[in-house]
Amino acid sequence: MKRQLIGLTHYERISSMGRYSNISENAEQAMSIKYNTIVYDLKRKGVKVLVMSLGEAFFDVPLYSFAELPISEIYHYSHSLGIPELRKKLADYFLKQYSIPLNSDKEILITSGSKIAIYMALMAILNPGDEVVVQEPCWVSYPEQIKLAYGIPVQIPYDRSIYDYEKYITPRTKAIIINNPHNPTGYVYTKEEITYLLELAAKHNIWLLSDEAYSDFVMDGKFISPGSIDKEKNHTIIFNSISKNFGISGWRLGYIISNEKMIHNVLKINQHLITCPATILEYYVLNYFEKILSYTVPMMKELHEKRKAVAAYMKDIGLECLPGSATFYFFVSIIPTKLTSEEFCTRLLTEEYISVVPGLGYGYSCDKFVRISIGTSKLDEIKCGLDKIKEFIIKTS
Ligand code: PMP
């Protein structure tokens, strides 16, 4: 053993000595976070970058007083399902907004962001080697989270239809994940599609995991959650987030909605991993729920109009993207460039100072796409950026 190690670097020696798990060694970095980290570094050096890679919209939500919050509670752990009053507030909101009835004592758990909620749900349903079906482009963390829960992601190429999903279901399949509305395309699922997926879940006795982190970005009441059809939540697990819908991603508050048994199993995992989210922030959101929404809702409407203007501009200059109508993301084709999406994004960043995210992060079938976010830059700057992206595609063809 010792002799074989001669000639290896220090890093290789340590990893070949089995100090790290295969699962962590083989995990991929989140592509969006990787590129945004480069942007933060460049900005710190004073480089001006047009940022179209960030996964958020900047809403100017004012800071309300923390002094109003109950001092006897805020410094301490809270209930491991989340504080009852906030659970009740969310349950009322879900009924009114999305027609989803839920028992706030048993069917919802608030935790530190929806990312960990999704992972804990995967831990609650997967045995080693179980499969989870997800279509590309898929949010960067689904395949990695499935693997971290000892499951196998079965990734469907981007050009297949929802009605093809059944071909990918095997006796090992435990779940299908959808993201509605969709990051990175902005696609909003129709009632027919959601109904079909629920029928598929019932037929094969599997779960439909519905990640609804951007639900409030869908205008005109067009958002349909499986929870409004599968009211007993026999096959449905919903994830939602205070991050995007409330414009406070850094506060790490998210939640999971499902039937009592599922929530109980996730609760046990939550008790061992998280305990509870930051109590003070739960109270803050509870106290200022309506006030925060009174800021974010009009801004989301503005963003929706901005999205329409960007879509029209892309059409004018001949940039193509996958179908979508909500959120602040576009998944844009870079065909006919000769570059891979990573080469394209790295060169676009270092030569043109524009940051977008490589499509490869969203699946192998997506290497001729990039994700563009319009959440943080002004419309004129975005148009300028799109012109440069178009030129860069031509230059690298
Ligand atoms: N799902 C999707 C599709 C996302 O884009 C994100 C954040 N980028 C999350 C879940 C996680 O959100 P959070 O943990 O901030 O609630």
Side-chain angles (χ1 to χ4, degrees):
M1 179 68 184
K2 249 191 185 154
R3 290 187 82 190
Q4 281 170 352
L5 291 178
I6 294 168
L8 297 180
T9 63
H10 175 67
Y11 171 77
E12 285 166 336
R13 259 200 302 276
I14 288 178
S15 43
S16 61
M17 284 161 74
R19 303 239 336 239
Y20 299 92
S21 67
N22 295 341
I23 217 161
S24 74
E25 286 287 274
N26 294 332
E28 300 283 349
Q29 274 203 62
M31 193 71 95
S32 45
I33 299 180
K34 185 170 150 186
Y35 272 75
N36 284 318
T37 309
I38 304 174
V39 173
Y40 294 136
D41 289 345
L42 283 172
K43 280 186 151 180
R44 219 169 292 128
K45 287 181 192 145
V47 180
K48 194 171 177 305
V49 179
L50 174 60
V51 182
M52 296 206 285
S53 50
L54 263 193
E56 53 187 334
F58 287 164
F59 299 141
D60 289 327
V61 183
L63 187 66
Y64 301 108
S65 167
F66 277 83
E68 306 290 313
L69 308 180
I71 191 102
S72 56
E73 307 288 339
I74 55 175
Y75 288 125
H76 309 291
Y77 293 129
S78 61
H79 195 301
S80 206
L81 282 175
I83 57 173
E85 299 85 349
L86 184 56
R87 278 186 269 134
K88 176 80 175 66
K89 174 84 65 190
L90 289 167
D92 293 345
Y93 187 72
F94 263 69
L95 188 59
K96 185 169 147 256
Q97 196 77 359
Y98 309 130
S99 313
I100 300 177
L102 68 106
N103 180 332
S104 64
D105 290 330
K106 298 174 179 160
E107 295 184 329
I108 177 167
L109 178 145
I110 304 169
T111 187
S112 302
S114 62
K115 197 176 255 188
I116 189 72
I118 299 169
Y119 182 55
M120 291 192 295
L122 290 168
M123 289 173 99
I125 61 177
L126 297 182
N127 289 315
D130 284 347
E131 295 171 3
V132 180
V133 170
V134 59
Q135 184 165 19
E136 298 176 359
C138 56
W139 179 50
V140 291
S141 294
Y142 300 140
E144 295 313 307
Q145 287 204 354
I146 294 163
K147 289 187 256 170
L148 289 173
Y150 295 93
I152 299 170
V154 174
Q155 294 174 230
I156 305 176
Y158 79 90
D159 53 358
R160 304 296 139 84
S161 145
I162 285 168
Y163 300 100
D164 290 330
Y165 283 15
E166 192 163 18
K167 293 184 201 142
Y168 295 84
I169 294 177
T170 74
R172 303 261 17 196
T173 307
K174 274 284 182 65
I176 297 170
I177 305 183
I178 58 166
N179 178 207
N180 186 27
H182 190 268
N183 170 12
T185 63
Y187 186 74
V188 182
Y189 287 77
T190 64
K191 190 167 184 186
E192 289 68 36
E193 288 168 337
I194 298 284
T195 307
Y196 171 75
L197 289 173
L198 276 173
E199 282 166 6
L200 207 57
K203 179 174 168 191
H204 294 275
N205 195 20
I206 59 177
W207 295 97
L208 180 61
L209 273 59
S210 183
D211 176 358
E212 304 175 358
Y214 302 86
S215 53
D216 285 352
F217 287 81
V218 184
M219 299 291 134
D220 313 324
K222 292 211 176 99
F223 172 73
I224 304 284
S225 166
S228 64
I229 302 167
D230 175 16
K231 292 197 160 61
E232 301 296 315
K233 304 164 202 80
N234 285 327
H235 294 280
T236 305
I237 311 177
I238 296 168
F239 308 95
N240 211 309
S241 170
I242 310 276
S243 292
K244 316 285 171 165
N245 287 337
F246 285 69
I248 41 180
S249 56
W251 288 23
R252 316 302 306 122
L253 286 169
Y255 48 98
I256 169 169
I257 293 168
S258 190
N259 63 53
E260 182 179 351
K261 166 89 173 140
M262 170 58 72
I263 293 299
H264 179 68
N265 278 1
V266 172
L267 172 69
K268 290 184 278 178
I269 300 170
N270 193 51
Q271 286 176 351
H272 292 296
L273 294 183
I274 307 285
T275 304
C276 63
T279 307
I280 187 167
L281 302 181
E282 290 185 273
Y283 275 103
Y284 185 97
V285 171
L286 171 70
N287 246 36
Y288 301 117
F289 197 88
E290 286 79 16
K291 281 193 176 163
I292 298 172
L293 285 180
S294 75
Y295 276 87
T296 55
V297 171
M299 286 186 203
M300 282 186 200
K301 286 190 182 138
E302 265 175 44
L303 192 63
H304 194 66
E305 294 307 311
K306 187 175 168 193
R307 181 182 177 101
K308 283 194 209 156
V310 171
Y313 191 74
M314 290 208 309
K315 204 165 171 214
D316 279 354
I317 63 169
L319 273 181
E320 286 184 11
C321 60
L322 292 187
S325 61
T327 75
F328 39 83
Y329 300 120
F330 289 88
F331 206 52
V332 177
S333 168
I334 52 172
I335 290 173
T337 183
K338 289 205 174 68
L339 305 179
T340 65
S341 58
E342 274 203 273
E343 288 163 349
F344 187 91
C345 292
T346 305
R347 283 188 53 187
L348 191 70
L349 184 55
T350 51
E351 294 172 28
E352 303 289 341
Y353 302 110
I354 298 175
S355 71
V356 296
V357 183
L360 183 67
Y362 300 85
Y364 289 112
S365 68
C366 303
D367 203 19
K368 288 294 178 195
F369 289 90
V370 294
R371 187 191 76 173
I372 291 179
S373 166
I374 60 159
T376 54
S377 300
K378 295 200 176 73
L379 183 57
D380 284 352
E381 294 169 340
I382 293 167
K383 284 184 177 174
C384 226
L386 293 174
D387 287 339
K388 287 198 177 147
I389 290 170
K390 177 76 192 175
E391 281 164 26
F392 204 70
I393 294 173
I394 295 166
K395 188 174 148 189
T396 54
S397 294

